[in-house]
């Protein structure tokens, strides 16, 4: 591989809503300073949770030192806070400050912060500009790119939301230094998903760099995160609002994964852990339908094992099959009564397959491999 570039800028080609994702080993403050040099001063609202406070606070101070008025909005971490109550609290706290339509919202955190802050930016005063500084691996490779923003209802996840593209994404690898290992591994499942569904060469690169990736070596993080962002950006540019079906490919492993998350009431497994399991089940289903070879599934299993993502396969046995199927029915309802599975064709390519029978789905759920 060529010497590591110091940073990569990945364009998200969306016409007048285009923006760049900067993926950099430089500190977050350095990325902010580049921006501050080009902008007139104004007001900035910083949205973060109490874990990402360590990254947001110095950023806020840098803006202040540059003459900006700054407004913090902090909330407790956790998916259960990504709701209308937190959004309402945020709107109220902005009402008490001078936040006009020129203000910028800065989201500093994982996917929960990004989704909430982005939705706040989409609706407050009918829309403000926003910048996202993702601090979890999942947010860096997935949720920060593509402009899908929103909150959960008690009836289900992400049911209220919008498409609202950010003006920039600042991905500083340094912020991963405080991310708990379980969260980091969970984010790796989404990275593996890109390899499986879109880029076999990337999958192989992950196999060859697994140790450096687990050490969070910047020389591995930079290409790993940049390639994931490039792949996501390409799909988003093709299918910004999920109308052509291209974006569906990113759901590889997610039909089963969402079923498991819902069956366990989002309590037992992190999203990536459920997706890792879901990718294996999708491969087994494809094998059953004669579309995929078991030696390829074994390759996926070996990589997930190296990333510490096989626990869920060992723990979730046949007794879960019925409750997972029941939860998967809601996906079916949304697709006019038919399951639409994203199934592998080969490592690096997937196909959307409709009309899979419940007995085939159940058969792979009761398997323990
Ligand atoms: N909008 C999209 O396109 C999209 C795509 C995928 C996922 N999502 C959403 O993203 C969310 C999941 O994202 P997530 O896994 O980042 O969850 P998260 O934001 O809850 O972060 C996971 C945990 O890590 C903590 N954390 C984050 N960065 C940290 C850091 N650098 N140091 C220490 N702690 C840190 C958080 O406080 C939290 O406790 C879900 O709500 C999901 O719906 C959205
Ligand atoms: Zn996902």
């Amino acid at each position: 591989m060529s010497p590591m570039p110091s940073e990569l800028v990945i364009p998200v080609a969306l016409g007048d809503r285009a923006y760049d994702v900067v993926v950099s080993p430089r500190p977050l403050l350095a990325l902010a300073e580049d921006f501050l040099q080009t902008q007139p001063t104004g007001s900035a609202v910083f949205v973060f949770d109490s874990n990402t406070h360590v990254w947001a606070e110095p950023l806020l101070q840098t803006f202040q030192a540059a003459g900006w008025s700054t407004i913090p909005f902090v909330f407790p971490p956790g998916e259960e806070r990504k709701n209308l109550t937190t959004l309402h609290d945020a709107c109220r706290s902005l009402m008490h400050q001078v936040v006009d339509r020129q203000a910028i919202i800065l989201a500093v955190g994982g996917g929960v912060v990004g989704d909430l802050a982005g939705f706040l930016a989409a609706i407050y005063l009918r829309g403000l500009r926003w910048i996202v500084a993702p601090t979890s691996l999942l947010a860096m490779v997935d949720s920060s790119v593509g402009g899908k923003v929103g909150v959960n209802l008690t009836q289900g996840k992400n049911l209220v939301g919008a498409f609202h593209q950010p003006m920039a994404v600042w991905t500083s690898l340094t912020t991963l230094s405080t991310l708990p290992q379980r969260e980091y591994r969970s984010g790796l499942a989404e990275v593996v998903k890109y390899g499986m569904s879109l880029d076999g060469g990337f999958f192989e690169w992950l196999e060859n760099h697994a140790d450096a990736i687990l050490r969070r070596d910047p020389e591995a993080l930079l290409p790993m995160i940049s390639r994931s962002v490039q792949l996501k950006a390409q799909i988003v540019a093709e299918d910004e609002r999920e109308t052509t079906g291209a974006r569906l490919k990113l759901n590889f492993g997610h039909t089963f994964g969402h079923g498991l998350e819902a069956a366990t009431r989002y309590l037992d497994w992190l999203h990536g852990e459920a997706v890792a399991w879901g990718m294996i089940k999708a491969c087994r289903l494809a094998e059953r339908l004669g579309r995929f070879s078991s030696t390829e599934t074994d390759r996926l299993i070996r990589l997930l094992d190296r990333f510490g993502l096989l626990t869920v396969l060992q723990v979730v046995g046949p007794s879960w099959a019925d409750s997972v199927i029941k939860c998967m029915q809601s996906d079916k309802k949304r697709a006019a009564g038919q399951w639409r599975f994203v199934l592998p064709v080969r490592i690096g390519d997937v196909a959307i397959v409709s009309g899979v029978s419940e007995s085939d789905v159940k058969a792979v759920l009761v398997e323990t491999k």
Side-chain angles (χ1 to χ4, degrees):
M1 195 172 247
S2 52
M4 184 176 73
S6 58
E7 108 184 345
L8 283 163
V9 178
I10 299 142
V12 185
L14 288 171
D16 59 355
R17 293 175 313 296
Y19 53 97
D20 285 338
V21 181
V22 181
V23 182
S24 178
R26 289 192 293 149
L28 190 51
L29 295 185
L31 305 187
E33 271 155 12
D34 290 352
F35 169 82
L36 289 169
Q37 277 169 11
T38 65
Q39 296 285 318
T41 55
S43 16
V45 180
F46 289 78
V47 181
F48 48 100
D49 70 25
S50 43
N51 290 330
T52 61
H53 168 96
V54 289
W55 301 105
E57 200 60 44
L59 200 62
L60 183 149
Q61 281 161 14
T62 304
F63 271 68
Q64 253 174 14
W68 285 62
S69 39
T70 57
I71 300 123
F73 177 76
V74 57
F75 60 99
E79 184 69 34
E80 63 280 11
R81 303 288 176 155
K82 199 180 96 175
N83 59 26
L84 289 170
T85 309
T86 311
L87 185 74
H88 191 202
D89 290 348
C91 289
R92 277 212 294 241
S93 105
L94 265 54
M95 286 298 301
H96 292 134
Q97 313 278 342
V98 192
V99 176
D100 59 24
R101 297 201 57 190
Q102 306 318 314
I104 294 180
I105 294 190
L106 274 113
V108 186
V112 164
V113 167
D115 280 9
L116 184 109
F119 193 35
L120 177 68
I123 61 170
Y124 194 74
L125 300 180
R126 296 200 177 80
L128 301 180
R129 293 171 300 162
W130 72 298
I131 293 172
V132 51
T135 63
S136 71
L137 180 58
L138 182 140
M140 290 179 181
V141 299
D142 192 353
S143 61
S144 63
V145 184
K148 273 213 287 187
V149 295
V151 297
N152 304 326
L153 299 182
T154 45
Q155 290 84 350
K157 280 189 57 169
N158 303 321
L159 290 177
V160 179
F163 288 92
H164 187 53
Q165 302 296 340
M167 62 187 288
V169 183
W170 299 342
T171 298
S172 166
L173 305 178
T174 61
T175 61
L176 290 177
S177 62
T178 55
L179 186 71
Q181 185 68 350
R182 189 175 169 200
E183 295 289 348
Y184 180 70
R185 288 174 186 271
S186 171
L188 287 176
E190 299 284 2
V191 173
V192 172
K193 176 194 78 177
Y194 289 117
M196 281 296 293
S197 53
L198 298 169
D199 185 348
F202 182 48
F203 186 93
E204 195 178 328
W205 183 90
L206 294 171
E207 293 177 313
N208 294 334
H209 294 81
D211 293 336
I213 291 168
L214 281 168
R215 282 198 309 275
R216 308 190 199 186
D217 179 341
E219 297 214 8
L221 289 179
L222 187 74
M224 175 181 87
I225 294 171
S226 314
R227 184 65 188 143
S228 301
V229 169
Q230 269 170 359
L231 290 166
K232 171 114 193 216
Q234 270 166 21
I235 294 271
V236 166
E238 251 177 76
D239 185 17
E240 183 184 5
R241 289 178 171 252
E242 293 184 356
T243 45
T244 71
R247 218 161 156 162
L248 262 184
K249 288 186 177 178
L250 300 176
N251 271 349
F252 177 59
H254 282 64
T255 306
F256 283 109
H258 285 151
L260 179 63
E261 285 183 291
T264 50
R265 285 179 289 133
Y266 299 91
L267 295 172
D268 298 355
W269 305 107
L270 297 180
H271 176 67
E273 293 168 338
V275 168
W277 176 85
M279 290 192 288
I280 296 170
K281 292 296 170 194
C283 289
R284 294 299 188 206
L285 181 57
E287 280 177 35
R288 209 182 154 74
L289 301 175
R291 300 173 146 264
F292 195 58
S293 114
S294 66
T295 53
E296 303 252 77
T297 310
D298 292 343
R299 242 178 105 188
L300 170 67
I301 291 179
R302 273 198 303 278
L303 184 58
L304 293 174
D305 193 19
R306 284 182 83 185
F307 288 159
L309 285 164
L310 277 198
T311 322
V312 51
L313 191 68
Q314 287 141 9
V315 175
V316 178
S319 61
W320 281 96
D322 286 333
S323 40
V324 173
I325 286 233
K326 210 168 144 207
C327 293
M328 286 167 74
Q329 303 289 358
S330 58
D331 268 11
K332 197 171 169 181
K333 272 190 221 137
R334 275 186 223 129
Q338 284 211 335
W339 267 313
R340 252 184 327 187
F341 280 95
V342 184
L343 297 183
V345 176
R346 69 185 79 82
I347 288 180
D349 192 17
V350 288
I352 316 294
V353 179
S354 297
V356 178
S357 77
E358 184 161 329
S359 62
D360 283 328
V361 175
K362 184 144 184 193
V364 300
L365 283 173
V366 297
E367 279 174 4
T368 50
K369 56 181 182 110

